[in-house]
Amino acid sequence: MKPQKGTNFFHLHLHLLLFCFCLRFCIARNIITSTNFITDPSTLLSESSLFELGFFSPVNTTSRYVGIWLNQGSKLTVVWVANRDNPLNHTSGVFTISKDGNLVVLDGKSNILWTSNILNPTINSTALLLDSGNLILQDSVSGMILWESFKHPSDTFFPAMKIFTNTRTKEKIGLTSWESPSNPSKGRFFFGIDVLNNIAEVYIWEGSDLRWRSGPWNGQSFIGIPQMDSVYYLLGFSLVIENQTYYLSGPNRNELLNYEFYQLTSQGNFEQSHWDDTLKDWKPRWSALKTPCDFYGTCGAFGICDPKSFPVCSCLKGFQPKNEEEWNQGNWGSGCLRKTSLKCEKVKNVSVEHGKEDGFLKVGTVNLPHFAESLNSSVSAEDCGVKCSDDCSCSAYAYESGIGCMLWSGDLIDARKLDFGGATFYLRLTYSELENATKRSKVIVIASVIAGSGSLIIIFIIFVSWRRIIGQKAKEEIRKGKKTILLKERRKFLNLVMDHRMGINMNQELPTYDFEKLAIATNNFHLDNKLGKGGFGPVYKGRLVDGQEIAIKRLSRASNQGVEEFINEVTVISKLQHRNLVRLFGYCVEGEEKMLIYDGYMSPEYAMGGRFSEKSDVFSFGVLLLEIISGKKNSSFYHDEDVLSLLELAWNLWNEENLISFIDPTIYDSRHHKEILRCIHVGLLCVQEAMKDRPNMVTVLSMLNSEIIDLYPPKQPGFSGMQLDSNTHLSQQSEDKYSVNMVTITKLGGR
């Protein structure tokens, strides 16, 4: 049947209406105006859909923030946050342009939670999200940029961005970490540029404390980051000086924007990530903090850190540990002292001084020490050495193209050995301590005796060469000896593992962890990460590079325990019926270091005292029960300022009589309200700090099945961030000594 004319007219109007609507919608989704804004949960995409802007909630929280994230990869990677210190507690937020032309985040009552805060805004402004990741606010008429997110960064740096410092006004623009993975508010770590004595470096600060430094900028790269010379890493970065302002920017090439970015993590590491086209996800490529040597000042004054040595710290030639006992225990912070006073120092105190002049030892392939003074670039390399030699307070000098002459007065801090690249400095030593000086004196003495005798000279040359070869072989044997001792320790440990785990499935190899990886995971075993200590030694919380939360038991040297006691830890855990609850991730054996790595589920009496019983499994079950109810991992509260763990959160809410907020909204059902609360109550009873207070598993089952109707109130849980209960007897050791753990090898039967 032939269609009616009126019908065609209606269809035409309908198509035109839909086309206009879609056109308006598509345009609106690329820009923000005062009438075209974003409401939660709608979003805005950049032109090529590389970035997305809208409202989001971080992991383990329902708080809402306005942010920009990468529209690639399997997980939400947020790169900028507007209202990071002022979240919304509901989903009624609005991101728009106010009447005065500022970008604003509003709550449901139109209260301003965040503003771009332009002093002279225009009413004709629009916002646009660019494919570089930059959110710009511009004048609609002139196109002039009024404000941009790149000049107000959060924790992420893109190649097209600039971070800077002004040496006159002291203004700094840099990256500020999130407080935690669940909290984007400003954390305690800051990444930025600083200029000291005309030398520019980039730093990571933890509050006012220096955490990491890049080494000086030499016009091409930062000396302490030799990877900057590699096309796969940081090639193309530049540092420009304009009007006393130092700008650091990355390679401004569009093809790189899809493939890399840099982020200051909430744990204080600066990491580079790139797009892996095979995995279709973002993958870490480089990080600032990889070894203990990367932490600022690890070896103290006149110490040098080499991540490939064991131990990593040693004193520079001519120096010795300031505190031998601390140094041998792996605490190198007090640094080193000069063994013999310099001649120029003696001249100051004694009227006549005999002997040779001080000299300089070449120290190469290093990140230069901190606090150098840069002289005028017109000073030559030769004159640089003369200037240091003439000044008794000068302890070292270096000459680097792009910087010029650098002098160090007083202590040398943060010298670090590099695998390649780096720079060279010359350390002032007494004449007697210089190898060349010793060899030169021998040559002079012997040459004077055998002068005129050609055959004896040949014999002498052979003798010197032979001595040199012997010396090198001796050093090599010492180096091999250290490695042999380390290998023997590990072999002994593995043999004991095999002996004690007979009959246990060995298909899954127990992984080993490098000491340096565990040092990074715990911020160099920082006191802030110390959970406590017991007979075995201290226990630290940590986070591995892949984000896995761990607990590390570090054998105390003062505990008088050896490999036999250490292996008993592995034996007990291996034979547990519920080893999926108390999981041993691996171990570390390096020199005198013996550590076990576990899943923040360990009961306190086991973590601190090495004691295990049925009640320890009850503790693990209670943690698991509380995790299921809350939908949160006990380990997800790492570096959280409010609570240390899920257990402390549950305990606080119990005391506040507010357990409803503990329940995961996805499982909450008012019809089963009492049953869920009962499960929380049982979970808290299971994780009580003292073993004697916890029910056994038979009682737990009766409680969950309501066979036991009346439940007694729980006491404080273990690992709640407060002092241990005195009846656990875990805190009776002094602050300075650890007790001897009298654990014996035990055979466990089924329960």
Side-chain angles (χ1 to χ4, degrees):
M1 184 172 71
K2 188 176 181 179
Q4 297 289 328
K5 184 176 181 181
T7 304
N8 287 337
F9 184 76
F10 171 77
H11 285 165
L12 178 63
H13 268 68
L14 180 62
H15 281 102
L16 284 172
L17 184 64
L18 289 172
F19 174 77
C20 291
F21 174 78
C22 290
L23 182 63
R24 181 180 182 275
F25 178 80
C26 293
I27 293 174
R29 291 302 87 196
N30 288 285
I31 62 172
I32 297 175
T33 67
S34 58
T35 58
N36 210 13
F37 44 82
I38 296 178
T39 57
D40 196 356
S42 60
T43 62
L44 178 150
L45 290 172
S46 64
E47 185 176 359
S48 298
S49 299
L50 297 176
F51 293 91
E52 191 168 6
L53 182 150
F55 289 84
F56 75 97
S57 290
V59 293
N60 299 322
T61 181
T62 57
S63 298
R64 303 293 284 171
Y65 300 85
V66 172
I68 300 172
W69 55 88
L70 292 160
N71 194 31
Q72 290 174 285
S74 59
K75 64 178 182 179
L76 184 70
T77 304
V78 179
V79 298
W80 181 80
V81 186
N83 57 319
R84 61 186 305 186
D85 292 315
N86 203 6
L88 292 102
N89 297 319
H90 44 72
T91 57
S92 60
V94 178
F95 189 48
T96 185
I97 296 178
S98 63
K99 293 180 180 179
D100 67 359
N102 270 297
L103 272 169
V104 291
V105 178
L106 306 176
D107 64 12
K109 298 180 180 178
S110 297
N111 296 314
I112 297 177
L113 302 180
W114 175 88
T115 174
S116 55
N117 200 28
I118 305 170
L119 296 178
N120 297 306
T122 173
I123 58 173
N124 298 313
S125 57
T126 58
L128 180 65
L129 180 61
L130 306 180
D131 275 332
S132 62
N134 194 11
L135 175 65
I136 63 171
L137 184 67
Q138 61 184 3
D139 188 301
S140 304
V141 179
S142 66
M144 181 178 68
I145 296 178
L146 307 171
W147 177 93
E148 55 184 308
S149 62
F150 272 10
K151 290 187 177 180
H152 303 271
S154 294
D155 66 336
T156 306
F157 179 82
F158 287 100
M161 289 176 65
K162 290 181 179 179
I163 61 174
F164 68 86
T165 185
N166 186 293
T167 56
R168 180 178 58 83
T169 63
K170 307 302 180 185
E171 180 187 8
K172 280 187 176 70
I173 295 295
L175 309 179
T176 307
S177 69
W178 285 26
E179 179 61 33
S180 73
S182 302
N183 184 0
S185 65
K186 290 180 181 177
R188 61 185 186 279
F189 300 106
F190 181 83
F191 175 89
I193 309 172
D194 203 7
V195 182
L196 186 64
N197 298 326
N198 298 318
I199 296 177
E201 302 189 43
V202 290
Y203 299 92
I204 299 175
W205 287 274
E206 183 174 6
S208 59
D209 297 328
L210 198 53
R211 181 176 174 85
W212 172 85
R213 55 182 283 266
S214 65
W217 173 261
N218 64 7
Q220 300 292 328
S221 63
F222 292 105
I223 289 173
I225 312 178
Q227 294 90 346
M228 288 190 75
D229 294 329
S230 169
V231 70
Y232 298 107
Y233 288 87
L234 306 169
L235 182 68
F237 276 73
S238 61
L239 193 143
V240 179
I241 307 172
E242 294 178 358
N243 299 323
Q244 296 181 290
T245 302
Y246 290 70
Y247 295 94
L248 177 70
S249 60
N252 195 9
R253 293 178 288 177
N254 291 333
E255 65 267 21
L256 287 180
L257 297 180
N258 301 345
Y259 299 110
E260 65 183 17
F261 67 93
Y262 308 82
Q263 201 161 42
L264 179 63
T265 69
S266 58
Q267 289 77 45
N269 202 355
F270 186 63
E271 299 178 341
Q272 178 196 25
S273 296
H274 73 108
W275 179 255
D276 190 312
D277 209 37
T278 303
L279 297 175
K280 299 298 180 185
D281 210 345
W282 295 98
K283 184 178 179 181
R285 170 177 276 168
W286 173 87
S287 63
L289 296 166
K290 296 178 299 217
T291 74
C293 293
D294 296 318
F295 290 89
Y296 179 78
T298 296
C299 300
F302 293 108
I304 185 165
C305 201
D306 185 351
K308 292 193 172 180
S309 296
F310 186 82
V312 294
C313 285
S314 61
C315 291
L316 288 166
K317 184 174 178 61
F319 293 81
Q320 61 189 5
K322 186 176 181 180
N323 188 319
E324 193 77 38
E325 184 179 355
E326 287 184 357
W327 191 273
N328 292 335
Q329 291 177 352
N331 182 2
W332 308 295
S334 58
C336 308
L337 293 172
R338 195 180 289 277
K339 293 179 182 177
T340 307
S341 297
L342 297 169
K343 180 187 176 184
C344 65
E345 293 174 345
K346 293 178 180 178
V347 169
K348 289 180 180 179
N349 302 320
V350 183
S351 57
V352 179
E353 174 65 25
H354 301 287
K356 301 292 184 179
E357 296 291 334
D358 302 327
F360 290 91
L361 175 71
K362 181 179 179 181
V363 184
T365 320
V366 295
N367 185 17
L368 294 175
H370 202 201
F371 302 117
E373 179 185 358
S374 176
L375 301 183
N376 192 299
S377 58
S378 62
V379 177
S380 66
E382 293 77 12
D383 291 340
C384 188
V386 172
K387 282 186 173 293
C388 187
S389 182
D390 291 343
D391 182 359
C392 190
S393 66
C394 181
S395 53
Y397 75 92
Y399 188 90
E400 181 73 10
S401 178
I403 302 176
C405 180
M406 291 172 280
L407 305 180
W408 283 266
S409 297
D411 295 343
L412 300 185
I413 304 292
D414 201 43
R416 175 164 50 95
K417 251 315 198 188
L418 302 174
D419 290 338
F420 60 94
T424 298
F425 72 92
Y426 296 85
L427 174 67
R428 189 181 202 122
L429 291 178
T430 61
Y431 185 81
S432 61
E433 288 167 336
L434 294 170
E435 288 185 8
N436 291 335
T438 304
K439 292 178 181 177
R440 195 181 302 116
S441 64
K442 289 181 179 178
V443 171
I444 293 171
V445 172
I446 299 175
S448 63
V449 173
I450 62 174
S453 177
S455 60
L456 287 178
I457 291 176
I458 293 173
I459 294 172
F460 167 72
I461 292 172
I462 294 172
F463 174 76
V464 171
S465 300
W466 174 76
R467 288 291 301 273
R468 182 178 297 169
I469 292 170
I470 292 298
Q472 289 175 345
K473 283 187 176 180
K475 290 180 180 178
E476 182 67 18
E477 288 300 319
I478 291 171
R479 186 180 66 81
K480 287 182 178 178
K482 288 182 178 179
K483 285 191 174 180
T484 302
I485 292 171
L486 180 60
L487 290 173
K488 284 182 178 178
E489 281 279 339
R490 286 182 172 171
R491 195 174 295 115
K492 182 179 180 183
F493 176 76
L494 291 173
N495 288 338
L496 283 168
V497 171
M498 295 296 293
D499 292 342
H500 288 292
R501 297 182 72 186
M502 292 296 258
I504 297 175
N505 185 5
M506 293 296 292
N507 293 331
Q508 294 182 346
E509 182 183 356
L510 187 65
T512 61
Y513 286 83
D514 293 335
F515 174 80
E516 61 188 46
K517 289 182 180 178
L518 300 181
I520 292 171
T522 58
N523 192 8
N524 216 16
F525 298 98
H526 198 280
L527 286 176
D528 288 348
N529 292 327
K530 188 174 180 180
L531 295 172
K533 63 182 180 182
F536 187 97
V539 181
Y540 298 88
K541 61 180 177 179
R543 179 191 291 267
L544 297 174
V545 175
D546 61 4
Q548 174 65 53
E549 305 285 357
I550 56 173
I552 301 171
K553 296 180 65 175
R554 188 180 189 187
L555 176 64
S556 167
R557 294 180 181 86
S559 69
N560 297 322
Q561 295 184 86
V563 176
E564 287 286 345
E565 291 82 0
F566 181 73
I567 200 63
N568 188 50
E569 298 279 330
V570 183
T571 306
V572 172
I573 291 297
S574 300
K575 294 185 177 181
L576 285 178
Q577 183 177 352
H578 299 300
R579 58 181 176 270
N580 60 317
L581 294 183
V582 185
R583 187 153 49 121
L584 178 64
F585 281 146
Y587 70 95
C588 171
V589 178
E590 288 192 18
E592 295 184 359
E593 292 288 353
K594 298 178 183 69
M595 288 180 276
L596 292 171
I597 298 92
Y598 289 96
D599 200 342
Y601 295 93
M602 284 191 299
S603 60
E605 71 275 2
Y606 179 67
M608 303 307 177
R611 294 182 291 165
F612 199 89
S613 71
E614 178 189 0
K615 296 295 185 71
S616 303
D617 255 6
V618 172
F619 182 94
S620 300
F621 177 80
V623 175
L624 188 62
L625 183 60
L626 293 173
E627 284 186 332
I628 292 171
I629 296 168
S630 65
K632 296 181 175 69
K633 290 278 289 181
N634 186 44
S635 58
S636 65
F637 294 81
Y638 186 82
H639 280 320
D640 192 291
E641 197 173 68
D642 297 325
V643 292
L644 179 68
S645 66
L646 182 68
L647 308 189
E648 186 174 350
L649 175 63
W651 177 247
N652 290 346
L653 293 175
W654 168 273
N655 289 324
E656 295 169 6
E657 299 183 354
N658 186 24
L659 286 179
I660 295 296
S661 61
F662 183 79
I663 303 170
D664 185 348
T666 59
I667 68 168
Y668 181 73
D669 187 340
S670 58
R671 293 172 298 177
H672 303 290
H673 170 78
K674 291 183 178 179
E675 288 87 344
I676 297 175
L677 292 180
R678 185 178 186 84
C679 287
I680 299 175
H681 194 156
V682 173
L684 285 170
L685 291 173
C686 291
V687 298
Q688 292 177 105
E689 197 162 74
M691 285 188 291
K692 65 181 183 62
D693 292 330
R694 299 176 208 147
N696 58 36
M697 284 307 300
V698 175
T699 305
V700 169
L701 290 175
S702 297
M703 289 176 172
L704 291 174
N705 291 329
S706 296
E707 293 171 4
I708 298 176
I709 299 174
D710 297 325
L711 303 181
Y712 58 92
K715 295 180 181 178
Q716 172 187 313
F719 287 160
S720 64
M722 294 167 276
Q723 291 294 321
L724 294 175
D725 196 337
S726 59
N727 59 16
T728 63
H729 302 290
L730 299 179
S731 300
Q732 294 179 355
Q733 294 84 10
S734 69
E735 288 299 316
D736 301 317
K737 297 181 180 179
Y738 300 113
S739 67
V740 177
N741 187 351
M742 301 303 292
V743 173
T744 57
I745 297 174
T746 309
K747 291 185 178 180
L748 299 182
R751 295 195 296 274

